[in-house]
């Protein structure tokens, strides 16, 4: 029983956490991007330090090589002038410097590998942050659309409401025009009374006009003006 309750509590906590993550997804994305950018800045600073140390080691190696070359030349001159004591002393110094040079060469090799790996990681991280920012832009667009949909639903702009409004509009527009109906009824009554046949015959040129027209009125006005 206790294990069942514990499992239910864990599941409820997980669902609550998912709801919180969904509600604050955009904020979490922005926070992760900031954290990634902070890590990238730290990696860049480390890379700069490694490159600086690499350059320093290269300078010391070059200086050490110059010292070995110079001392070797002096040792040869000492031997040529039968100064083996000075040549031996120079040889011991040269051996020490050569050992130091070997260590510096190994150090430079390790530094070069670290620089290459870190530079590759930084380039990869930089590309991923760009992708994250593009994804965040898309996520914001989707969230705005979702919020708009929620706002529309909250304000009654639902599919059912839209269909109902369209149906009411169609019913209003589909109703018969009462004025047109009265005209049709008048025409029917005239046909029944025989009035309409006289109008149609007058329109055909048989007999005088049975009703006034705009042309008739205009002609009377002109005649009265004269």
């Amino acid at each position: 029983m206790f294990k069942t309750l514990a499992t239910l509590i864990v599941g409820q906590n997980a669902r609550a956490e998912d709801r919180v993550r969904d509600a604050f997804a955009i904020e979490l994305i922005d926070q992760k991007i900031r954290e990634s950018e902070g890590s990238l800045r730290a990696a860049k600073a480390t890379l700069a330090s490694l490159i600086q140390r690499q350059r320093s080691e290269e300078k010391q190696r070059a200086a050490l090589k110059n010292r070995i070359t110079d001392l070797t030349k002096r040792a040869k001159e000492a031997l040529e002038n039968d100064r083996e004591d000075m040549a031996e002393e120079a040889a011991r110094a040269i051996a020490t410097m050569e050992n130091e040079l070997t260590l510096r060469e190994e150090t430079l090799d390790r530094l070069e590998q670290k620089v290459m790996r870190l530079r590759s990681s930084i380039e990869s991280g930089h590309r991923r942050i760009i992708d994250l920012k593009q994804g965040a832009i898309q996520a914001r667009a989707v969230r705005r659309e979702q919020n708009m949909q929620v706002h529309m639903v909250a304000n009654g702009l639902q599919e059912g409401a839209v269909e109902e409004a369209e149906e009411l509009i169609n019913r209003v527009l589909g109703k018969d025009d009462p004025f047109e109906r009265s005209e049709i009824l008048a025409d029917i009554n005239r046909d029944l009374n025989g009035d309409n046949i006289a109008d149609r015959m007058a329109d055909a040129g048989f007999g005088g006009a049975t009703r006034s027209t705009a042309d008739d009125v205009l002609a009377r006005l002109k005649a009265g003006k004269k």
Side-chain angles (χ1 to χ4, degrees):
M1 185 67 178
F2 178 76
K3 290 183 178 179
T4 302
L5 290 174
T7 302
L8 291 173
I9 292 173
V10 170
Q12 185 176 3
N13 291 337
R15 288 191 295 272
E17 182 179 354
D18 289 339
R19 287 194 294 270
V20 172
R21 289 175 67 87
D22 290 340
F24 296 97
I26 302 300
E27 290 78 3
L28 290 172
I29 291 172
D30 291 338
Q31 177 61 30
K32 294 303 178 183
I33 290 175
R34 286 192 293 269
E35 292 176 0
S36 300
E37 288 178 332
S39 299
L40 186 63
R41 284 194 297 270
K44 288 179 180 179
T46 302
L47 178 61
S49 297
L50 287 175
I51 293 175
Q52 188 176 15
R53 183 182 173 191
Q54 184 184 30
R55 291 176 179 176
S56 176
E57 288 290 336
E58 288 174 349
K59 290 178 181 179
Q60 294 185 39
R61 180 185 62 178
L64 193 58
K65 284 184 176 181
N66 290 333
R67 288 175 60 194
I68 291 173
T69 300
D70 179 68
L71 196 56
T72 300
K73 181 180 178 182
R74 294 176 186 277
K76 289 180 179 179
E77 291 179 358
L79 286 174
E80 290 174 357
N81 289 279
D82 297 328
R83 292 296 307 271
E84 290 190 6
D85 56 332
M86 298 192 70
E88 290 177 358
E89 186 177 353
R92 288 194 294 271
I94 291 171
T96 301
M97 286 187 288
E98 286 179 346
N99 291 331
E100 182 182 352
L101 182 62
T102 300
L103 293 175
R104 291 194 179 279
E105 293 283 359
E106 294 174 354
T107 300
L108 277 171
D109 289 339
R110 289 194 298 270
L111 284 173
E112 184 177 1
Q113 292 176 5
K114 289 181 179 180
V115 167
M116 290 178 60
R117 286 196 301 268
L118 187 54
R119 190 186 295 274
S120 177
S121 297
I122 288 174
E123 291 174 354
S124 176
H126 179 69
R127 289 193 298 269
R128 292 186 67 184
I129 288 176
I130 291 176
D131 293 339
L132 283 175
K133 290 183 176 180
Q134 292 296 324
I137 293 173
Q138 295 176 359
R140 288 190 183 91
V142 172
R143 177 55 57 85
R144 284 194 296 269
E145 182 179 355
Q146 292 172 346
N147 292 337
M148 182 60 67
Q149 293 290 343
V150 172
H151 179 73
M152 291 168 64
V153 171
N155 286 275
L157 192 58
Q158 304 178 22
E159 187 65 25
V162 172
E163 291 178 354
E164 185 177 355
E166 290 176 345
E167 182 180 354
L168 290 172
I169 291 172
N170 291 331
R171 287 182 62 183
V172 172
L173 295 179
K175 284 188 176 181
D176 295 334
D177 187 352
F179 181 74
E180 182 181 6
R181 179 180 294 182
S182 65
E183 287 187 336
I184 293 172
L185 288 173
D187 289 338
I188 293 173
N189 291 328
R190 282 195 297 271
D191 287 338
L192 292 174
N193 295 329
D195 297 336
N196 197 29
I197 183 64
D199 293 337
R200 286 189 283 112
M201 292 184 72
D203 292 339
F206 302 109
T210 60
R211 56 184 182 273
S212 296
T213 63
D215 292 336
D216 296 335
V217 175
L218 185 61
R220 288 200 304 270
L221 291 173
K222 289 180 178 180
K225 190 174 181 180
K226 291 178 180 180

